[in-house]
């Protein structure tokens, strides 16, 4: 029932129809005892195994299926996988990567070339140098972004402070001025940020982590790793933060790091729509994939000053294929990135040797990060709250994303207007809160250089709300983590959380470069502080905290829980936060917070990044095969009949086939001499559509019985140079004479494609694809003839969910 959307209502639409032994429906034919019956839907049918089929009625089949699936649904729940899925569709525009190394005669010739020890050593050294360069490049980018943001943000908030202080006195009474200035700055800068992303480089939108994750999973995303995307990402994220949006620059660092890695790996510089080639050692999809994993890790490492956390983030969230060697290289890059960022930022502050700025955002050392065991239940409750608020964030953002796709994103200008509106509203909301909540405090902010205003405080102290809004989201996070317990009143915090939560939901998904790490941490830190205040009130003489009245650790647990509730990443976030705080003692509490918030969140929804992937229709292969699919065999979901080619084919025939079908892989068979059919024969290899297109465009064909003059000049580099999506069959022009020629696939085809037999179960096939990074798998008969094809997208299409107590196994299209 894999291919049906099987629900009670649907079952009633099906009719019972006799089925012949080869699985065909044979309506209207005489049936006898022992004859199989099938259920036929208006579109499709499936064989129901029933021996006493003449007693089988539609009702009995319905009840049989219901009971069977109710049972399955119960077991399914035990796996805890019945959280609602988001939009269930896949876009065919996302093609797969060719991570598998093509074992062709060309490749073998290269492998057999004698390589001296020295050359091998040089190759290894250059490989490490590339990983080193990724770390350095990422650090330069991260430090550059940080310095620019800090410099301009300082000017912006200092201007606003001057106006707010001046205009809030009775004498001047010109508060319309600062709000107009604030809104104009925000709207103007965000307009630029959004126009850049919307009109020039849509790939730079959002944090980029879901796309990097999909790329590493094996999905080709055109433009994701381009130079234009890099520029738009870096400039865009600076503009988004200066535009006053509730977003961070840490997530986009992973994407930018990935682009730097791919750029360094490819070793070529774009120059007026052409490329200047520097070196081409690491240009295969396989190599670039590993480098991008290192780039993503370096980005996170530079952002948080957390090399171990960055590496684990890449392992947990992004990369799909790992081995110890790769982890070591990725860690090396991440460490270089962290160290270099530290050096650059310290040098910028005038003390390069002190290395006191390991990342863009540091939670800084907490003076009192000890805890009492009796506090753990409070932390657990906080974790559960984090899971709840996190999943609320995901659901609301999902609804908004769907709404945007339906109504707002049809026209590009609407995207720009929406982003500008959000930035204007952000400024207005902040101003209204500062104006209406007269929370004046004399407590010194932890950061002596933080901006605040005396608005509404008549000379006594400063406006507490302003400390959180007259700064970047990172500054606000640090203030919430470190300011003393009496810096903010309960009302201030409640209103701040509410407003910032809605702004965060509204901002994520706008057509601008923006990350969700910092807003999530900030929301969590604010409600964590509230709980800390509550604990101090409830147990004034009890807890360790009450002596120091330290709400910082509650803010930290709140931040961790909120982030865990949104992203559902556990190990890496634990390590990142521990590395950021520089205190391992509290690691246990942070781990508990992240683990429980993930469990609670998973009960309601998938994580934010997974939601993004599903909404975009990207065919991602998850870590594990869909549960309870042990009974599904490859014969149930393979495509057949298979379109095959002979080792030497007529060019005209190949051209027609490629024009008629969009398949990306074609098994090569050796025609059985005893059989007339040209489609029957033993499997000899597989050739990719892209390879054929390169051969046709380079005209590697000749008259029958001859060898093409240019056959020997074709090298592997010719295939690596061209982007697989850049060549299209429609662009290849062939004369009638050329169509009579023959093309020889033998030197280029993969001679040892992965094959399985018909009785392979789905979980085994799934693991093969996941473990080996396959794109195609050929199903062969006992005679080694190709009888079916399975692609990674075929597997990704399998989703399952439970609706009204029934299990749905869907084959998405
Ligand atoms: P991707 O585009 O990522 O490679 P895909 O599934 O779209 O994935 P295609 O090669 O376009 O890949 O295949 C489309 C469908 O056709 C798949 O269901 C696949 O099983 C089937 N298919 C692929 N190659 C052949 C072939 N040579 N003969 C018959 N069916 C094929």
């Amino acid at each position: 029932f894999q291919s049906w959307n099987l629900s009670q209502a649907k079952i009633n639409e099906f009719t019972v129809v006799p089925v012949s032994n080869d699985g065909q429906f044979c309506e209207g034919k005489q049936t006898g005892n022992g004859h199989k019956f099938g259920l036929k839907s208006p579109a499709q049918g499936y064989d129901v195994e029933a021996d006493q089929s003449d007693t089988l009625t539609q009702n009995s089949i319905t009840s049989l299926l219901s009971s069977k699936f109710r049972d399955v649904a119960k077991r399914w729940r035990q796996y805890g996988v019945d959280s609602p899925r988001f939009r269930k569709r896949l876009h065919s525009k996302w093609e797969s990567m060719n991570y598998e190394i093509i074992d062709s005669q060309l490749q073998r010739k290269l492998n057999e070339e004698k390589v001296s020890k020295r050359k091998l050593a040089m190759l290894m050294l250059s490989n490490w140098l590339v990983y080193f360069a990724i770390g350095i490049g990422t650090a330069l980018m991260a430090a550059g972004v940080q310095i620019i943001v800090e410099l301009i943000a300082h000017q912006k908030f200092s201007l606003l402070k001057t106006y707010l202080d001046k205009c809030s006195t009775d004498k001047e009474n010109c508060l319309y001025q600062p709000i107009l200035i604030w809104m104009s700055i925000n709207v103007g800068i965000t307009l630029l940020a959004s126009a850049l992303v919307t009109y020039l480089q849509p790939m730079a939108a959002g944090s980029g982590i879901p796309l990097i994750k999909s790329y590493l999973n094996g999905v080709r995303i055109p433009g994701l790793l381009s130079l234009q995307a890099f520029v738009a990402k870096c400039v865009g994220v600076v503009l988004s933060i200066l535009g006053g949006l509730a977003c961070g620059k840490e997530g986009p660092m992973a994407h930018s790091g990935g682009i730097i890695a791919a750029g360094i790996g490819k070793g070529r510089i774009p120059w007026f729509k052409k490329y200047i080639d520097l070196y081409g050692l690491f240009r295969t999809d396989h190599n670039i994939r590993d480098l991008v994993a290192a780039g993503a890790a370096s980005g996170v490492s530079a952002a948080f000053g957390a090399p171990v956390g960055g590496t684990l983030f890449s392992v947990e969230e992004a990369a799909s294929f790992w081995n110890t060697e790769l982890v070591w290289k990725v860690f090396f890059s991440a460490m270089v990135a962290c160290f270099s960022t530290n050096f650059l930022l310290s040098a910028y502050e005038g003390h390069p040797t002190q290395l006191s700025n390991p990342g863009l955002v540091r939670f800084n050392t907490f003076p009192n990060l000890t805890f009492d065991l009796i506090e753990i239940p409070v932390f657990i409750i906080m974790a559960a709250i984090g899971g709840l608020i996190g999943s609320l964030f995901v659901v609301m953002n999902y609804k908004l994303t769907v709404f945007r796709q339906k109504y707002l994103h049809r026209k590009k200008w609407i995207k720009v207007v929406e982003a500008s509106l959000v930035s204007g509203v952000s400024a207005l909301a902040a101003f209204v809160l500062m104006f209406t909540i007269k929370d004046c405090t004399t407590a010194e902010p932890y950061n002596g250089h933080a901006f605040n205003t005396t608005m509404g405080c008549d000379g006594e102290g400063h406006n507490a709300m302003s400390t959180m809004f007259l700064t970047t989201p990172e500054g606000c996070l640090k203030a919430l983590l470190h300011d003393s317990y009496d810096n903010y009143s309960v009302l201030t915090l409640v209103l701040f959380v509410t407003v910032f939560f809605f702004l965060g939901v509204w901002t994520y998904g706008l057509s601008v470069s923006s990350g969700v790490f910092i807003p999530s941490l900030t929301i969590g830190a604010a409600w964590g502080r509230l709980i800390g205040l509550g604990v101090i009130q409830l147990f004034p003489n009890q807890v360790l905290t009450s002596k120091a009245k330290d709400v910082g650790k509650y803010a930290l647990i709140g931040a961790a829980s909120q982030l865990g509730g949104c992203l559902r990443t556990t190990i890496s976030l634990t390590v990142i936060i521990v590395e950021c705080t520089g205190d391992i003692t509290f690691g246990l509490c942070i781990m508990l917070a992240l683990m429980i918030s993930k469990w609670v969140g998973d009960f309601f929804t998938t994580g934010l990044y997974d939601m993004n992937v599903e909404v975009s229709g990207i065919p991602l292969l998850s870590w594990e095969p869909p549960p309870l699919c042990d009974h599904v065999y490859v014969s149930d979901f393979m495509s057949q009949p298979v379109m095959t080619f002979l080792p030497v084919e007529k060019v005209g025939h190949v051209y027609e086939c490629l024009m008629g079908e969009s398949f990306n892989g074609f098994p090569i068979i050796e025609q059985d001499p005893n059989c007339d059919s040209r489609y029957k024969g033993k499997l000899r290899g597989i050739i990719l559509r892209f390879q054929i297109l390169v051969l046709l465009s380079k005209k590697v064909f000749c008259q029958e019985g001859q060898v093409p003059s240019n056959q020997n000049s074709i090298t592997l580099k010719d295939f690596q140079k061209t982007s697989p999506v850049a060549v299209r069959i429609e662009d290849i022009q062939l004369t009638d004479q050329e169509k009579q020629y023959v093309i020889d696939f033998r030197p280029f085809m993969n001679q040892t494609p992965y094959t399985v037999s018909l009785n392979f179960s789905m979980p085994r096939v799934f693991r093969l694809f996941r473990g080996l990074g396959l794109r195609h798998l050929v199903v062969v008969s006992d005679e080694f003839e190709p009888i079916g094809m399975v692609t990674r997208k075929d597997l990704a299409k399998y989703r399952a969910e439970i609706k009204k107590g029934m299990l749905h196994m869907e084959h998405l299209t």
Side-chain angles (χ1 to χ4, degrees):
F1 308 97
Q2 305 75 21
S3 47
W4 290 352
N5 189 350
L6 193 65
S7 66
Q8 186 74 37
K10 273 273 169 71
I11 290 173
N12 290 332
E13 289 169 26
F14 298 146
T15 45
V16 184
V17 177
V19 177
S20 68
N21 282 340
D22 57 6
Q24 299 296 316
F25 287 110
C26 30
E27 282 150 272
K29 287 197 183 156
Q30 202 68 45
T31 58
N33 237 356
H35 200 119
K36 282 185 180 177
F37 272 59
L39 281 179
K40 193 172 183 204
S41 75
Q44 262 171 315
Y46 198 85
D47 181 3
V48 180
E49 278 177 26
D51 292 335
Q52 297 299 315
S53 43
D54 48 355
T55 61
L56 204 67
T57 64
Q58 188 169 342
N59 282 346
S60 66
I61 292 178
T62 307
S63 66
L64 178 107
L65 290 174
S66 305
S67 62
K68 188 170 163 188
F69 278 94
R70 221 173 287 134
D71 213 39
V72 173
K74 220 192 266 167
R75 280 166 58 203
W76 186 275
R77 274 211 196 90
Q78 288 165 5
Y79 282 77
V81 288
D82 58 343
S83 58
R85 292 287 182 265
F86 293 100
R87 187 180 283 191
K88 297 169 283 299
R89 68 189 168 84
L90 290 180
H91 259 308
S92 51
K93 69 172 177 182
W94 309 110
E95 285 206 355
S96 303
M97 305 284 295
N98 302 311
Y99 283 154
E100 196 193 339
I101 292 170
I102 297 171
D103 179 24
S104 60
Q105 282 179 16
L106 269 187
Q107 179 71 43
R108 288 191 180 185
K109 233 191 261 168
L110 195 81
N111 295 347
E112 283 158 14
E113 270 176 26
K114 280 220 168 97
V115 187
S116 65
K117 256 190 173 175
R118 191 159 164 266
K119 202 170 169 193
L120 265 182
M122 287 304 288
L123 195 70
M124 218 171 79
L125 185 70
S126 39
N127 194 251
W128 279 96
L129 274 177
V130 166
Y131 281 91
F132 179 76
I134 292 170
I136 298 281
T138 312
L140 282 171
M141 175 268 304
V145 167
Q146 171 78 349
I147 292 169
I148 296 172
V149 167
E150 289 298 318
L151 277 179
I152 307 181
H154 185 87
Q155 298 300 330
K156 173 183 164 183
F157 293 119
S158 130
L159 177 78
L160 289 176
K161 175 186 164 52
T162 315
Y163 272 90
L164 285 167
D165 285 348
K166 186 177 81 160
C167 290
S168 54
T169 57
D170 289 342
K171 212 165 72 190
E172 297 277 343
N173 204 5
C174 55
L175 276 174
Y176 66 92
Q177 284 182 7
I179 181 57
L180 278 183
I181 295 175
W182 198 346
M183 286 179 72
S184 322
I185 295 178
N186 274 16
V187 170
I189 298 180
T190 309
L191 200 94
L192 279 180
S194 181
L196 176 75
V197 169
T198 313
Y199 288 101
L200 297 182
Q201 202 36 254
M203 275 299 146
S207 77
I209 293 179
L211 293 184
I212 287 285
K213 178 176 169 159
S214 311
Y215 167 83
L216 293 170
N217 191 275
V219 183
R220 185 180 303 284
I221 302 176
L224 179 71
L225 301 172
S226 63
L227 181 68
Q228 294 90 319
F230 176 71
V231 176
K233 195 97 209 177
C234 294
V235 178
V237 81
V238 170
L239 293 175
S240 305
I241 292 173
L242 294 175
L245 293 172
C247 64
K249 54 186 176 311
E250 284 61 25
M253 292 288 152
H255 183 189
S256 311
I259 303 179
I260 292 178
I264 295 177
K266 282 181 188 156
R268 58 186 182 195
I269 304 169
W271 188 257
F272 293 110
K273 295 195 175 170
K274 291 211 157 157
Y275 290 100
I276 302 175
D277 275 309
L278 302 178
Y279 50 89
L281 290 172
F282 312 107
R283 227 172 256 170
T284 57
D285 280 353
H286 178 87
N287 279 327
I288 300 289
R289 175 191 73 195
D290 292 352
L291 297 176
V292 170
S298 306
V300 176
S301 162
F304 291 98
V308 184
T311 309
L312 288 175
F313 187 79
S314 207
V315 173
E316 194 179 3
E317 194 56 57
S320 305
F321 311 98
W322 285 97
N323 56 54
T324 339
E325 169 89 2
L326 179 60
V327 175
W328 186 228
K329 286 180 180 161
V330 169
F331 180 59
F332 171 69
S333 282
M335 191 57 102
V336 171
C338 174
F339 173 81
S340 316
T341 313
N342 195 346
F343 176 78
L344 291 169
L345 291 178
S346 303
Y348 172 70
E349 287 181 2
H351 42 80
T353 51
Q354 284 179 13
L355 297 180
S356 50
N357 292 287
L360 307 192
V361 57
R362 292 292 292 170
F363 302 163
N364 293 12
T365 321
F366 283 76
N368 185 21
L369 212 48
T370 48
F371 66 100
D372 194 302
L373 283 184
I374 56 168
E375 287 178 278
I376 287 192
V378 182
F379 295 157
I380 291 177
I381 294 171
M382 288 178 74
I385 296 175
L388 285 175
I389 305 182
S391 34
L392 183 66
F393 189 103
V394 178
V395 170
M396 288 177 69
N397 194 263
Y398 164 69
K399 301 259 178 220
L400 190 63
T401 310
V402 173
F403 178 80
R404 276 181 180 137
Q405 283 184 351
K406 260 191 186 165
Y407 303 106
L408 301 185
H409 286 186
R410 293 203 181 136
K411 298 258 180 327
K412 287 186 174 173
W413 63 266
I414 303 183
K415 295 186 191 183
V416 180
V417 170
E418 193 202 0
S420 311
L421 179 72
V422 178
S423 70
V425 171
S426 303
L428 188 66
F431 182 81
V432 171
L433 284 183
M434 281 158 54
F435 183 71
T436 47
I437 309 299
K438 304 259 185 283
D439 177 14
C440 298
T441 173
T442 46
E444 270 304 301
Y446 134 91
N447 177 3
H449 306 295
F451 288 108
N452 48 48
T453 169
T454 51
M455 187 162 93
C457 291
D458 300 330
E460 257 184 62
H462 62 267
N463 186 315
M465 193 70 91
S466 70
T467 323
M468 292 188 280
F469 282 116
L470 288 184
T471 179
T472 56
E474 281 135 45
C476 173
L477 170 64
K478 279 192 203 168
L480 285 167
L481 290 176
H482 295 293
D483 281 350
S484 73
Y485 86 101
D486 52 353
N487 270 50
Y488 310 100
S489 72
V490 170
L491 182 64
T492 305
L493 287 172
V494 169
L495 288 174
F496 175 81
V497 170
T498 317
V499 169
F500 207 79
F501 177 83
F502 285 110
L503 286 178
V505 171
W506 199 5
T507 304
Y508 190 73
L510 285 177
S511 185
V512 291
S513 296
S514 63
V516 76
F517 273 109
I518 297 294
S520 301
L521 287 167
T522 309
I523 296 165
W527 64 252
R529 248 186 118 83
L530 268 174
I531 293 185
L533 290 176
V535 171
I536 292 175
Q537 284 292 321
L538 282 176
F539 309 102
N541 308 317
Q542 263 266 327
V543 197
L544 266 178
T545 43
S546 58
K547 289 182 209 143
K549 299 211 166 161
D550 173 25
V551 284
K553 67 179 163 193
Y554 289 97
L556 186 62
I557 292 291
S561 314
Q562 179 69 36
L563 193 59
C566 274
L567 302 189
R568 315 291 160 74
T569 329
T570 44
I571 317 170
S572 56
L573 287 184
T574 308
V575 178
I576 288 175
I577 296 178
V578 168
E579 281 182 291
C580 268
T581 50
D583 194 325
I584 192 69
T585 340
F586 212 55
L588 175 80
C589 305
I590 292 170
M591 192 194 77
L592 270 180
L594 282 160
M595 205 161 71
I596 294 170
S597 61
K598 177 179 159 57
W599 286 344
V600 173
D602 279 349
F603 191 77
F604 296 104
T605 61
T606 47
L608 191 63
Y609 293 150
D610 288 336
M611 181 274 281
N612 280 166
V613 169
E614 294 202 17
V615 170
S616 315
I618 298 176
L620 203 77
L621 277 194
S622 56
W623 277 109
E624 290 297 327
L628 304 175
C629 285
D630 303 333
H631 63 290
V632 180
Y633 294 96
V634 74
S635 52
D636 297 328
F637 58 90
M638 69 186 191
S639 302
Q640 57 177 337
V642 184
M643 180 178 267
T644 53
F645 287 136
L646 297 174
V648 180
E649 270 289 3
K650 215 156 171 213
V651 171
H653 173 68
V654 174
Y655 187 79
E656 298 296 311
C657 290
L658 294 195
M659 278 298 241
E661 292 291 351
S662 61
F663 301 148
N664 283 306
F666 298 89
I668 306 284
I669 54 164
E670 194 175 274
Q671 194 178 346
D672 186 351
N674 304 323
C675 178
D676 286 343
S677 169
R678 70 191 306 283
Y679 300 108
K680 259 180 94 66
K682 286 196 175 22
L683 179 73
R684 285 292 169 251
I686 187 168
I687 190 144
L688 297 177
R689 178 189 191 85
F690 155 68
Q691 289 177 293
I692 304 178
L693 291 177
V694 172
L695 294 176
L696 288 181
S697 63
K698 294 202 177 291
K699 308 221 180 271
V700 189
F701 41 69
C702 60
Q703 283 179 357
E704 206 167 348
Q706 295 178 357
V707 178
S709 55
N710 55 354
Q711 180 156 314
N712 290 336
S713 62
I714 295 283
T715 62
L716 283 178
K717 280 193 186 138
D718 290 304
F719 294 101
Q720 289 167 6
K721 256 189 215 163
T722 329
S723 158
V725 282
V727 266
R728 295 177 333 133
I729 186 71
E730 293 80 10
D731 300 334
I732 296 174
Q733 303 298 336
L734 297 175
T735 61
D736 285 344
Q737 192 192 3
E738 284 173 335
K739 286 186 181 166
Q740 299 306 316
Y741 288 169
V742 289
I743 182 166
D744 186 354
F745 294 131
R746 284 170 298 191
F748 312 104
M749 69 187 189
N750 184 348
Q751 300 170 339
T752 50
Y754 287 96
T755 57
V756 292
S757 58
L758 266 177
N759 54 4
F760 254 63
S761 70
M762 178 180 223
R764 286 174 74 85
V765 174
F766 193 96
R767 289 197 180 98
L768 264 179
F769 269 88
R770 200 63 173 72
L772 300 172
L774 299 185
R775 185 177 185 185
H776 295 102
L777 189 65
V778 188
V779 185
V780 288
S781 65
D782 293 344
E783 290 76 38
F784 208 62
E785 287 171 3
I787 46 171
M789 278 293 269
V790 181
T791 62
R792 73 176 283 291
K793 225 190 256 168
D794 287 338
L795 282 185
K797 283 174 186 170
Y798 268 85
R799 301 282 161 91
E801 69 174 314
I802 294 174
K803 266 189 202 160
K804 295 180 188 150
M806 301 290 286
L807 176 70
H808 290 249
M809 297 290 277
E810 283 188 71
H811 203 174
L812 304 173
T813 47

